[in-house]
């Protein structure tokens, strides 16, 4: 089931998936309106959607011109759709005007409330909060209705599943729902009525699925994300005033975003491009020299920003695992697969000239080996998924750490075998279509695959006693995880990126 979900949701970028799911929710609302299941008329829905989208798309183009950057169309569409679901649909010019102002303010927040070209606040939440500060009609979150709940629930699940934030979502739902149910029960409702009211009348599911889950405004470490989710869940349910502003759902998210920013990489990371090396017919290694030392832990990722003309829907930012070991002054390396024709970002990366400057806008991730080096580990890499393991193994060697490590390295062809020299001294079990002629002495070819429970149990010593780490494409991760679970390994850490 998980492999199927990975294939289905992985066919499009995260931006495209969110756009599609919000669009489907909007169509469902229109159908329900026609059927008389919603309070709002179809014309009110269409007019509000048009104003929300027009205000964010046009404002995004204007601000992009002012700040001399490339507008991200899909991002502005998502912001517009979110605002459409937040503000009550109407045909009244004053209310449509408020919605348009919210769209402009939301877009402005991306450019004005930003550090290193990365916005700090969820744009839709920022726009709705600023409208309240201006004493204009506040967001009504009309999306919180029982008739839309099934559609919203499916959409929220798919977003949280794709972003690997289900645990964060459960923490938020558990905290916010339990407080609301307790309050409603204390006011005289039965427990069943309180649960029904909580999920049918409060935007818990929409909030956590489409707004709290935004990766760009999230803390870098999992424990930080869970802590902030719990805090926002509590603020979500507490009605009080901050000056003239009523603490609303969107205000709770803005507070959470600010805390996430404080928990993350706040100092600008400026990188000077040193050059690239082709590793395989489809993969390259890129090296950059930081102006100042970059603090990261082996196995973490960095978000790179490479501005370029005619950026496609994936934009000018991308997350990559760091391939180099942490150092005080050395270069930072990234290795990635470049498929043809490739995204505009990767084409721009390939076209960089030595000395070109790029920015790193975030460092984070929890794909970290155990602090206790006596714990044996199993590393499984699919293709270019070898990247974070290079950093981890390099860090251990540099620090003189001796760890019982087995690396299973699976490649589709022998030509796709990268970093052979760097891994020559490691204990590697190779899965490839054929046995290489010049296999390093510490390596062993264990067959053409596919990776299975039986193969892992037969080839990896003390398999179930090892902490397992898997890195690669969504499909290879799903297969390896299934094989490990089938062999009795209960805890598997994966290195996964969402495609934002």
């Amino acid at each position: 089931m998980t492999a199927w979900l990975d294939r289905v949701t992985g066919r499009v970028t995260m931006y495209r998936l969110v756009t599609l799911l919000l669009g489907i929710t909007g169509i469902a609302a229109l159908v329900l309106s026609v059927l008389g299941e919603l309070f709002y008329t179809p014309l009110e829905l269409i007019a509000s959607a048009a104003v929300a989208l027009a205000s964010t798309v046009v404002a995004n183009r204007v601000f992009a011109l002012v700040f001399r950057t490339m507008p991200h169309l899909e991002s502005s569409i998502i912001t517009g759709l979110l605002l459409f679901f937040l503000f009550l649909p109407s045909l009244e010019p004053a209310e449509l005007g408020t919605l348009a102002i919210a769209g402009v303010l939301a877009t402005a927040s991306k450019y004005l409330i930003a550090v290193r070209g990365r916005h700090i606040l969820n744009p839709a939440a920022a726009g709705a909060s600023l409208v309240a500060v201006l004493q204009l009609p506040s967001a009504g979150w009309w999306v919180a209705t029982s008739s839309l709940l099934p559609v919203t629930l499916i959409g929220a699940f798919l977003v949280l599943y794709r972003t690997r934030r289900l645990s964060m979502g459960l923490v938020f739902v558990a905290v916010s729902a339990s407080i609301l149910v307790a309050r409603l029960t204390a006011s005289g409702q039965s427990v069943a009525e309180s649960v029904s009211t909580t999920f049918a009348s409060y935007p818990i599911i929409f909030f956590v699925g489409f707004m709290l889950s935004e990766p760009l405004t999230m803390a870098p470490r999992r424990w930080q994300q869970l802590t902030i989710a719990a805090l926002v869940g509590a603020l979500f349910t507490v009605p009080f005033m901050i000056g003239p502003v009523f603490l609303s759902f969107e205000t709770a998210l803005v507070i959470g975003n600010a805390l996430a920013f404080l928990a993350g990489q706040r100092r600008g990371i400026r990188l000077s491009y040193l050059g690239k090396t082709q590793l395989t017919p489809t993969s390259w290694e890129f090296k950059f020299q930081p102006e100042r030392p970059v603090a990261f832990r082996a196995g973490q990722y960095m978000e790179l920003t490479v501005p370029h003309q005619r950026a496609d829907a994936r934009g000018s930012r991308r997350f990559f695992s760091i391939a180099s070991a942490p150092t005080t002054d050395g270069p930072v390396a990234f290795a990635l697969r470049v498929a043809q024709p490739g995204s505009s970002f990767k084409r721009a990366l390939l076209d960089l000239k030595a000395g070109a400057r790029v920015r790193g806008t975030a460092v984070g991730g929890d794909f970290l080996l155990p602090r206790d080096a006596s714990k044996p580990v199993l590393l499984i890499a699919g293709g270019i998924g070898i990247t974070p393991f290079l950093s981890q193994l390099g860090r251990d060697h540099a620090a003189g750490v001796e760890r019982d490590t087995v690396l299973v390295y699976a490649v589709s062809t022998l030509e796709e075998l990268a970093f052979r020299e760097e891994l020559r001294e490691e204990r590697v079990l190779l899965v490839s279509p054929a046995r290489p002629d010049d296999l390093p002495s510490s390596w062993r070819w264990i067959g053409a695959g596919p990776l299975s429970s039986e193969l892992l149990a037969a080839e990896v010593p003390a398999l179930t006693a090892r902490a397992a780490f898997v890195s690669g494409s969504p499909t290879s991760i799903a297969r390896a995880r299934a094989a490990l679970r089938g062999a009795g390994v209960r805890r598997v850490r994966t290195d996964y990126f969402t495609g934002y």
Side-chain angles (χ1 to χ4, degrees):
M1 181 63 175
T2 57
W4 179 82
L5 278 174
D6 285 332
R7 286 197 302 272
V8 171
T9 60
R11 289 176 180 172
V12 294
T13 68
M14 198 62 218
Y15 283 110
R16 187 64 50 81
L17 179 63
V18 173
T19 302
L20 288 172
L21 292 173
L22 288 173
I24 290 170
T25 307
I27 293 171
L30 187 61
V31 172
L32 290 169
S33 174
V34 171
L35 296 175
E37 295 295 325
L38 286 182
F39 178 77
Y40 311 102
T41 68
L43 192 55
E44 287 173 330
L45 293 174
I46 292 170
S48 295
V51 169
L53 290 169
S55 64
T56 54
V57 171
V58 172
N60 195 39
R61 288 188 176 275
V62 172
F63 277 105
L65 286 173
V66 172
F67 284 84
R68 298 182 180 180
T69 187
M70 296 297 296
H72 196 298
L73 177 62
E74 211 151 7
S75 175
S76 60
I77 289 174
I78 291 172
T79 301
L81 288 172
L82 290 173
L83 290 172
F84 164 62
F85 289 114
L86 266 59
F87 285 84
L88 300 181
S90 175
L91 292 176
E92 293 294 326
E95 294 183 5
L96 291 176
T98 297
L99 179 54
I101 291 171
V104 173
L105 292 174
T107 304
S109 73
K110 297 182 185 182
Y111 295 87
L112 301 177
I113 310 176
V115 174
R116 305 183 306 277
R118 190 170 188 264
H119 59 262
I120 299 172
L121 308 179
N122 179 286
S129 297
L130 291 170
V131 162
V133 170
L134 295 175
Q135 301 295 296
L136 295 172
S138 299
W141 293 81
W142 66 270
V143 69
T145 176
S146 58
S147 56
L148 271 178
L149 183 58
V151 180
T152 304
L153 183 61
I154 293 171
F157 169 78
L158 291 175
V159 171
L160 292 172
Y161 177 84
R162 171 74 184 273
T163 56
R164 297 302 192 260
R165 296 290 182 265
L166 283 171
S167 58
M168 184 204 71
L170 288 173
V171 167
F172 172 83
V173 171
V175 171
S176 58
S178 61
I179 295 174
L180 286 170
V181 168
R183 282 176 50 198
L184 292 169
T185 303
S187 69
Q189 291 190 16
S190 68
V191 174
E193 289 173 332
S194 298
V195 171
S196 176
T197 301
T198 293
F199 288 100
S201 301
Y202 288 84
I204 289 178
I205 302 301
F206 184 86
F207 183 96
V208 71
F210 292 102
M211 299 188 72
L212 182 63
S213 62
E214 185 194 22
L216 297 180
T217 54
M218 195 173 292
R221 299 293 305 279
R222 183 173 180 271
W223 69 267
Q224 295 167 338
Q225 295 166 9
L226 297 179
T227 301
I228 291 173
L231 176 62
V232 173
L235 293 175
F236 182 90
T237 66
V238 180
F240 66 88
M241 301 287 289
I242 301 179
V245 180
F246 180 77
L247 183 61
S248 57
F249 304 137
E250 58 269 20
T251 313
L253 181 55
V254 165
I255 293 172
N257 293 160
L259 293 174
F261 170 72
L262 294 175
Q265 173 78 30
R266 299 184 299 278
R267 192 180 69 189
I269 303 173
R270 298 187 181 277
L271 305 168
S272 178
Y273 180 57
L274 299 177
K276 63 180 182 289
T277 302
Q278 187 162 14
L279 303 170
T280 75
T282 64
S283 60
W284 296 76
E285 182 183 45
F286 299 84
K287 289 188 176 181
F288 299 86
Q289 181 62 47
E291 287 186 0
R292 293 186 289 182
V294 178
F296 69 93
R297 296 177 63 183
Q300 290 191 310
Y301 58 77
M302 183 185 296
E303 184 189 46
L304 286 182
T305 297
V306 181
H308 55 281
Q309 297 292 321
R310 297 183 175 86
D312 60 20
R314 298 191 178 198
S316 59
R317 297 188 299 255
R318 200 69 61 83
F319 291 100
F320 296 111
S321 293
I322 302 173
S324 50
T327 63
T328 56
D329 57 359
V332 177
F334 307 91
L336 53 134
R337 184 172 180 270
V338 183
Q340 294 300 325
S343 66
S344 66
F345 180 97
K346 290 185 178 180
R347 291 197 300 271
L349 199 57
L350 286 170
D351 291 340
L352 284 178
K353 305 299 181 185
R357 300 295 181 89
V358 302
R359 295 196 313 272
T361 53
V363 172
D366 292 281
F367 197 65
L368 310 173
L369 296 186
R371 290 183 180 273
D372 181 4
S374 65
K375 176 71 174 178
V377 297
L378 168 63
L379 315 178
I380 300 180
I384 203 60
I386 192 67
T387 302
F389 299 138
L390 289 172
S391 179
Q392 293 167 341
L393 294 170
R395 186 276 317 275
D396 279 0
H397 287 311
V401 174
E402 294 186 7
R403 193 189 304 267
D404 180 357
T405 303
V406 175
L407 171 62
V408 177
Y409 191 3
V411 292
S412 57
T413 67
L414 291 180
E415 290 75 19
E416 292 300 321
L417 186 59
F419 297 110
R420 185 181 307 203
E421 289 304 312
E422 289 82 352
L423 298 170
R424 180 168 290 276
E425 303 302 322
E426 304 296 335
R427 180 162 51 157
V428 177
L429 302 179
L430 179 64
V431 178
S432 60
R435 186 185 189 282
D437 294 331
D438 54 344
L439 205 63
S441 59
S442 62
W443 289 33
R444 186 156 58 87
W445 183 67
I446 60 173
L451 206 60
S452 64
S453 303
E454 294 75 19
L455 184 63
L456 289 173
E459 301 292 346
V460 179
L463 174 61
T464 57
R466 296 179 181 275
F469 296 78
V470 183
S471 177
S473 68
T475 300
S476 66
I477 286 177
R479 289 173 178 168
R481 185 166 52 193
L484 286 165
R485 295 280 171 79
V489 178
R490 293 291 167 248
R491 183 170 176 78
V492 182
R493 287 189 178 272
T494 60
D495 190 38
Y496 182 87
F497 291 114
T498 61
Y500 260 104

